[in-house]
Amino acid sequence: RIREEILALAAHSEPHRPNAARDDELEQLLQLSDDAFAIHDLVNDRNIAYSGLKNIAPADQSAFTITDAFEMIYEGDRESVLKKNEAVFARDPRAFDSLTEEFGTFSERVRVRKRDGSIAHCVMRGAAVFDGDRLVKMYNTLTDVTSEQELNWKLRSEEMLFESESDRRAAEDACAELVAHADCAAAWVTQSGNAESRPLLAAAGEHERFITETQSVACVDSLADRVIAAANESSPSGDVSTANGGNGRNRDAGQPGVAPCEHAPGAYVTAVSEPAVGYLAAAPIRRDGVSYGVLTVFRENSLTETFERLLDSLATSLAFRHEVEIQRRALRADSQVTVDVRLGTDHVLGAVSAQES
């Protein structure tokens, strides 16, 4: 009985009040961070999550299960994350950065859909606790690195701008970047043309089917028309000149199903089902009222805010690069050539030449 009374007194004693206060302070501190923390107790079926300032985690922290976590992951990353998770549960050494008999750590870059619907680029880190081959507990963190990702893309865009040997090479590099690192199955750049054609400047990925198949060509052309029409509308004169001296077309400017990109000024996106299910997006390559062409991409997954900014950044860089190339060609052509012609006396103009000399 004396022992029970001592334990009861200890439970209500002063020393424990500061601990409760420190828990509150910890919660406030976590709310100021860019990280989300989660604990998954697989033995007792207990899940706890703390969201950081970016509000990545769901509002109901107590229901933050591993299944809930998968629902947050951007559709383009779910398959790879699912395979990673299965490998962690199976204690596959290839899934871990480090692994001991009872403890393993892993990491991966993922995109997650935040509470407000936007997409965040994150680094996911985890620690797994094992009892033999059985996973008993998992600790996870998500760190929002969206700003870092956008900065890296901007730097690569600038490298293409200043280091490429020609505007064509810059366009090729931009298309390759979109296919290799931005979930695009195809990317291509068309130059400003006349009323009937837009010559292909550069391409990467599976672009042929979008520029050769009749139905796809009609859709791509219609999207490009809408982009150029928007450029016309944004010009004070209602018209935008093209690099070859022509004017942009305005056919089917009101194409249904085409929507403006919120974070890429002048760019438009439309959902397609042929030749593949996904999204076509196009951005104008334009600078100072002059249109040099259109940058078009196809993605199976919906566009994210970060991707729209990347698309706008690449199109802007290509426009600047085109302008630099035109100025470079003009400088090369700006030279005088002096030719000394000597005519013999038997030539019909020989007498005139002799008089002038």
Side-chain angles (χ1 to χ4, degrees), residues 4-14:
E4 292 176 355
E5 290 179 355
I6 293 175
L7 290 175
L9 288 172
H12 296 87
S13 62
E14 285 290 328

Side-chain angles (χ1 to χ4, degrees), residues 150 153-155 157-158 263-264 295 307-319:
E150 291 184 358
W153 270 336
K154 182 179 179 181
L155 292 175
S157 177
E158 292 176 350
H263 304 284
L295 171 60
F307 176 79
E308 289 185 9
R309 290 200 179 100
L310 169 64
L311 190 67
D312 180 59
S313 175
L314 288 175
T316 300
S317 294
L318 288 177

Side-chain angles (χ1 to χ4, degrees), residues 79-315:
E79 182 177 355
S80 62
V81 174
L82 178 61
K83 290 180 179 179
K84 179 88 166 185
N85 191 68
E86 291 175 346
V88 169
F89 269 77
R91 208 171 181 275
D92 185 342
R94 293 172 295 181
F96 296 90
D97 299 331
S98 64
L99 179 64
T100 64
E101 185 175 344
E102 298 179 349
F103 191 76
T105 61
F106 57 91
S107 60
E108 189 171 10
R109 282 186 174 264
V110 299
R111 288 164 294 181
V112 300
R113 193 174 298 278
K114 300 197 297 186
R115 235 182 266 180
D116 60 4
S118 63
I119 302 296
H121 288 255
C122 297
V123 173
M124 177 185 68
R125 297 182 179 88
V129 180
F130 291 92
D131 182 5
D133 290 333
R134 180 190 179 193
L135 179 63
V136 295
K137 187 173 290 188
M138 185 185 295
Y139 301 88
N140 292 107
T141 67
L142 279 174
T143 302
D144 190 341
V145 293
T146 303
S147 58
E148 174 189 330
Q149 184 75 15
E150 291 184 358
L151 178 60
N152 288 338
W153 270 336
K154 182 179 179 181
L155 292 175
R156 287 202 295 269
S157 177
E158 292 176 350
E159 288 177 0
M160 285 185 282
L161 170 65
F162 292 109
E163 297 181 6
S164 58
E165 59 192 28
S166 66
D167 54 350
R168 181 181 297 275
R169 181 56 185 270
E172 292 172 350
D173 290 344
C175 292
E177 174 76 13
L178 288 165
V179 171
H181 302 291
D183 286 349
C184 294
W188 61 98
V189 173
T190 50
Q191 296 173 291
S192 296
N194 54 34
E196 298 300 329
S197 67
R198 297 189 181 98
L200 182 68
L201 178 64
E206 303 172 3
H207 67 283
E208 291 90 353
R209 52 182 177 169
F210 293 97
I211 60 176
T212 57
E213 297 182 14
T214 304
Q215 184 175 356
S216 301
V217 169
C219 182
V220 170
D221 283 349
S222 185
L223 180 62
D225 289 341
R226 186 65 190 96
V227 169
I228 292 178
N232 290 344
E233 294 163 4
S234 65
S235 173
S237 62
D239 192 19
V240 170
S241 62
T242 57
N244 66 350
N247 292 322
R249 294 184 290 175
N250 192 24
R251 184 189 65 189
D252 195 16
Q255 179 195 2
V258 175
C261 295
E262 182 179 355
H263 304 284
Y268 282 78
V269 60
T270 184
V272 295
S273 57
E274 294 291 341
V277 178
Y279 300 86
L280 279 172
I285 301 174
R286 183 186 66 220
R287 178 175 169 80
D288 294 335
V290 179
S291 177
Y292 298 98
V294 178
L295 171 60
T296 308
V297 301
F298 170 75
R299 286 166 54 101
E300 295 181 352
N301 303 313
S302 59
L303 274 64
T304 66
E305 178 179 332
T306 303
F307 176 79
E308 289 185 9
R309 290 200 179 100
L310 169 64
L311 190 67
D312 180 59
S313 175
L314 288 175

